[in-house]
Amino acid sequence: MESPTRPAAPSNDYSSITRATKLFALCAAVNSLNLGYDIGVNTGIAPLLEESMDLSETQVEIFIGSINLFAMVGSLASGYISDAYGRRGTFKVAAVGFVVGVLTMATAQSFAVLMLGRVLVGIGVGFGLAIDPLYISELSPPEHRGRLVTWSEFSINVGILLGFSSSLAFYGLEPDAAWRLMVGLGALLPIVMIVLVVCVMPESPRWLVSKGRNEEAVSVLQRLYGPDYNVTELAEAIHESLQKEQEAERTMGWGILLYPTPAYKRILLVGVGVAASQQIVGIDSIQYFLSYILEQSGVTDRKMQGLVLIMFGLLKVVMVFVAANLLDSKGRRPVFFLSLIVIFLSLIMLAINFVVGGENHSSSFTIFCLALYLAAFGVGMGPGAWLIPSEVFPLSIRAKAMSLATFVNRFVATIMASTVLSLTKVISWAGYFVGLATVAVIILVLMYLYLPETSGKSLEEMTVYFAQITGDASVLEVEEAHVAAKTIELSEEGGRRGGGEEEDDDSASGGVLS
């Protein structure tokens, strides 16, 4: 019986993705709902906390911004957990952190206990941000990786929408009861995530190969690619890619991250740089403090603020659908460029509105500019900032490098979100928007110079691709050595097969002559 052969490259539509791949990517994306809900709900509860627990603006800034600081701890730890205990184990740790942290915050009677819960939720956020796109990218065919990884960003935005909606759902309650119920509901999603990890989701086949569990990897790959796909060859390709990376690195662990060769330096610059850029354009600064910006624009009614936030949430969800198609069909670079140009324009218009209108600036134009900013972010900088790191880092350092990218992303987010109210007091909201617009232009130039096009390439091709771009001889020599070794191996195997056939012919001839 002939072994199944690898079919032609699938067409660029969702119908060519197996149900199993869609199911597992969807399960991983559920974890991102937790992250999104936290963002959305804290946008709504910030003013309520200030009133209910008599917090100062500085305490509100610390509460909002500190989650990113604690996420930095979670992101660094996620690399070790993900490598040692697998991607599924990392999902479990993230979910448990969410459940315990959310319940601690919802029952807190003091700022100290509130911050304790924030620590635990922040660690869960760090784990989740690092593992979600990593897991999905390791399960996805190259042709659809852009679309499937954006499911994580889509879920974040659905979670944000749910969090925004909770403001309206509990609008009629007293501030103290409202914010506690809004926060407490966040414990439901991570419980669902734990059930999915235990009962539905398989381990990443690439992690299984890295641990020498090839039979399990082949079994998972067969579920992902279907019964007619020669997944044994794919497993061998993953194994060979891992060997080449290890030889090129000459060491395992953090050494290659600290003393990278030219190819790895470019990979780190691109992966970590894009992750940092997502926050430098001000998404957390604006998103967490939307209620404050709306209030500055004259939208002071809680119900109206809730309706506007829901509209923003719906817009972001829609834009992720757009991004899912554009990132694969048009490529990563054009979508990033479009996203940054529109972000720049929306921020400049916001600044002009605040300057020209003064204290009586147009609230409707503010809402329009904010919507334009969030839409532009949702198309490129949102999903793309996690797609690029998840696909460019080599397998042997992918978990550690993703944790580093997440750490830097959260570090920048901490600085940005923890200084918003203080900075706007000094330079005004208009000055703040101009500063963000300037940063967006700088990022656009840097991406034009350093970000290569990565769409359509398999994860196993990335290291050699960057080595070719940078002329990294250390990686290219290893690649040439492996190609030569593979050629010799195939030649010897062909020779053995030929010799076996000749012996069979001789035996058959001898039988006839006798």
Side-chain angles (χ1 to χ4, degrees), residues 10 21 23 27 44 60 87 89 136 140 178 270 281 286 327 358 373 399-401 410 415-416 418 439 447 462:
T21 303
L23 173 63
C27 289
V60 172
R87 311 327 189 201
I136 296 175
S140 304
V270 169
V281 296
I286 292 176
L327 284 166
Y373 170 88
K400 294 181 179 67
R410 293 297 91 190
I415 302 300
M416 300 294 289
S418 299
V439 169
M447 284 194 173
M462 288 295 180

Side-chain angles (χ1 to χ4, degrees), residues 10-11 43 59 88 98 136 139 182 184-185 232 243 257 294 397 460 482 502 510:
S11 59
T43 300
Q59 287 177 311
R88 293 171 75 243
F98 268 109
I136 296 175
L139 264 61
M182 290 163 67
L185 284 175
T232 303
Q243 285 184 321
L257 301 182
L294 292 174
I397 62 166
E460 288 67 48
H482 269 270
E502 288 179 5

Side-chain angles (χ1 to χ4, degrees), residues 401-422:
M402 276 298 294
S403 71
L404 176 63
T406 306
F407 175 88
V408 173
N409 176 276
R410 293 297 91 190
F411 175 77
V412 176
T414 300
I415 302 300
M416 300 294 289
S418 299
T419 57
V420 177
L421 299 180
S422 301

Side-chain angles (χ1 to χ4, degrees), residues 430-452:
Y432 192 73
F433 294 141
V434 170
L436 293 178
T438 303
V439 169
V441 172
I442 295 172
I443 292 172
L444 176 61
V445 172
L446 291 174
M447 284 194 173
Y448 179 81
L449 294 174
Y450 294 108
L451 177 66

Side-chain angles (χ1 to χ4, degrees), residues 9-262:
S11 59
N12 194 26
D13 61 65
Y14 279 118
S15 62
S16 61
I17 309 175
T18 62
R19 290 184 179 180
T21 303
K22 294 177 184 177
L23 173 63
F24 302 146
L26 184 63
C27 289
V30 169
N31 192 58
S32 296
L33 286 173
N34 301 326
L35 318 182
Y37 185 81
D38 180 83
I39 295 171
V41 81
N42 282 287
T43 300
I45 71 169
L48 303 181
L49 272 175
E50 194 172 357
E51 178 182 349
S52 170
M53 299 190 73
D54 194 26
L55 302 182
S56 66
E57 281 193 351
T58 301
Q59 287 177 311
V60 172
E61 275 187 326
I62 292 172
F63 174 78
I64 296 295
S66 64
I67 191 167
N68 297 310
L69 177 65
F70 306 134
M72 290 159 57
V73 178
S75 66
L76 287 180
S78 71
Y80 170 76
I81 298 296
S82 185
D83 276 342
Y85 300 103
R87 311 327 189 201
R88 293 171 75 243
T90 312
F91 278 116
K92 292 176 187 176
V93 173
V96 171
F98 268 109
V99 172
V100 178
V102 161
L103 295 179
T104 301
M105 285 196 298
T107 56
Q109 298 298 322
S110 67
F111 183 67
V113 176
L114 188 70
M115 289 304 299
L116 174 61
R118 200 66 168 159
V119 170
L120 297 172
V121 171
I123 291 173
V125 167
F127 271 89
L129 283 173
I131 193 60
D132 290 5
L134 173 64
Y135 180 84
I136 296 175
S137 71
E138 292 189 341
L139 264 61
S140 304
E143 308 83 15
H144 304 291
R145 191 170 56 243
R147 293 182 179 185
L148 291 174
V149 171
T150 56
W151 286 15
S152 176
E153 182 71 14
F154 170 77
S155 291
I156 288 177
N157 286 295
V158 171
I160 290 173
L161 176 60
L162 293 174
F164 286 167
S165 301
S166 67
S167 298
L168 196 61
F170 299 108
Y171 160 72
L173 299 180
E174 290 296 317
D176 188 68
W179 77 259
R180 292 182 189 279
L181 285 171
M182 290 163 67
V183 170
L185 284 175
L188 297 177
L189 289 171
I191 292 174
V192 172
M193 190 67 216
I194 293 173
V195 174
L196 291 175
V197 171
V198 173
C199 301
V200 180
M201 298 167 66
E203 186 51 81
S204 161
R206 286 173 168 82
W207 181 83
L208 291 170
V209 169
S210 72
K211 298 300 179 182
R213 295 159 61 176
N214 294 336
E215 291 184 5
E216 294 176 62
V218 168
S219 177
V220 174
L221 287 168
Q222 202 71 73
R223 296 174 67 186
L224 293 172
Y225 285 83
D228 297 327
Y229 201 102
N230 187 355
V231 295
T232 303
E233 289 185 3
L234 181 56
E236 290 175 357
I238 295 171
H239 180 68
E240 288 177 9
S241 174
L242 178 61
Q243 285 184 321
K244 286 185 285 186
E245 290 162 11
Q246 289 170 340
E247 289 182 33
E249 293 156 20
R250 298 187 181 89
T251 180
M252 288 295 291
W254 292 91
I256 192 62
L257 301 182
L258 300 175
Y259 310 103
T261 64

Side-chain angles (χ1 to χ4, degrees), residues 12 147 324-332 455:
N12 194 26
R147 293 182 179 185
N325 288 304
L326 290 179
L327 284 166
D328 277 335
S329 62
K330 302 299 181 183
R332 285 32 162 177
S455 63

